[in-house]
Amino acid sequence: MERKKALRNKPKRRRRRSLLPILIVGGAAIAAVLAFILLTSGGEGGGGPAIIPTPGSTRVAAQTGTVLGEETAPVTVVEYFSFTCPHCGNFALHTAPLIEKDYVETGRVKFELHALAAKGPSLDAAAGALCAADQGRYWDYHDVLFANYDAAGSDAYAADRLKEYAAGLGLDAASFNACLDSGQYETAVLDDTKRVVDVGITATPNFFIGLTKDMKDSAPPFPGARNIVGAQQYDVFKVAIEDALGKVP
């Protein structure tokens, strides 16, 4: 009887873990220690060949910093995620490309990413992605990171692997490696994470979809924007995007 009860309860526990809570631990004024309760894929080893998805080399939409798409797009999607969140990876590899094809490439939506991180693999990956952004390839690198994390877990974010992905994408290796080794973006990532957590965003992936004119000079939770929490199906995002497009003046 107890075994049957445990089996019945198992799916409920899994659903609760799909929304990954973020906690702030400690109170140091300058360097708050940020910790995530993040479910990892449990992949073993990162020694296999790097996975370099081919779509990045033929990406149509412009990449500017962490933004994909035209600045003039009337609707904006903002995503808060972690590179060590499997649900974020599932969205990045399977749902985001559909949004990109249907809405970003057509100039109707721009898609902005914010990687949240704590010390460790999530921070290493987030900092590496910003180094790639310096060369206009944030989204391409973002896709490579998730493709490799899906295969190897957090081992995929070792420094030598992060450099290998950059080389595989054809980035300037010397510039990328110097950027990564310097750790120049680590503080910026941690500070951005703290700001987001402070306004109450407590799960990843976390999305806001609204009119660009209303979101441009504001901060989460973005007045008037629709909030979607979790790696929902494409149709959920399509409805929210179409609703926002319907409000374009």
Side-chain angles (χ1 to χ4, degrees), residues 81 83 114-117 120-132 138 141 145 157 162 180 185-186 189:
F81 71 100
F83 278 113
H114 291 265
L116 308 183
S122 64
L123 179 59
D124 297 337
L130 289 175
C131 289
Y138 184 94
Y141 196 79
L145 289 178
Y157 298 158
L162 295 175
L180 187 68
Y185 286 119
E186 292 181 2
V189 172

Side-chain angles (χ1 to χ4, degrees), residues 119-161:
K119 287 286 186 179
S122 64
L123 179 59
D124 297 337
L130 289 175
C131 289
D134 287 344
Q135 300 186 43
R137 301 291 296 279
Y138 184 94
W139 273 76
D140 297 341
Y141 196 79
H142 155 276
D143 293 351
V144 169
L145 289 178
F146 274 125
N148 285 275
Y149 182 77
D150 188 54
S154 58
D155 286 347
Y157 298 158
D160 59 339
R161 299 287 289 188

Side-chain angles (χ1 to χ4, degrees), residues 22 24 30-36 38 66 79-84 113-134 138 141 145 162 179-180 183-198 204:
I22 301 169
I24 298 180
I30 298 177
V33 179
L34 302 175
F36 288 81
L38 293 173
T66 68
E79 179 190 359
Y80 297 94
F81 71 100
S82 167
F83 278 113
T84 53
L113 296 178
H114 291 265
L116 308 183
K119 287 286 186 179
S122 64
L123 179 59
D124 297 337
L130 289 175
C131 289
D134 287 344
Y138 184 94
Y141 196 79
L145 289 178
L162 295 175
C179 175
L180 187 68
Q184 70 181 74
Y185 286 119
E186 292 181 2
T187 298
V189 172
L190 292 174
D191 287 348
D192 192 33
T193 301
K194 185 178 185 304
R195 283 192 294 270
V196 171
V197 173
D198 283 347
T204 59

Side-chain angles (χ1 to χ4, degrees), residues 26-79:
I30 298 177
V33 179
L34 302 175
F36 288 81
I37 301 176
L38 293 173
L39 180 65
T40 61
S41 69
E44 297 182 2
I51 301 170
I52 309 295
T54 55
S57 63
T58 57
R59 184 162 251 140
V60 173
Q63 301 176 64
T64 306
T66 68
V67 175
L68 184 69
E70 300 299 327
E71 184 64 31
T72 55
V75 169
T76 294
V77 176
V78 176
E79 179 190 359

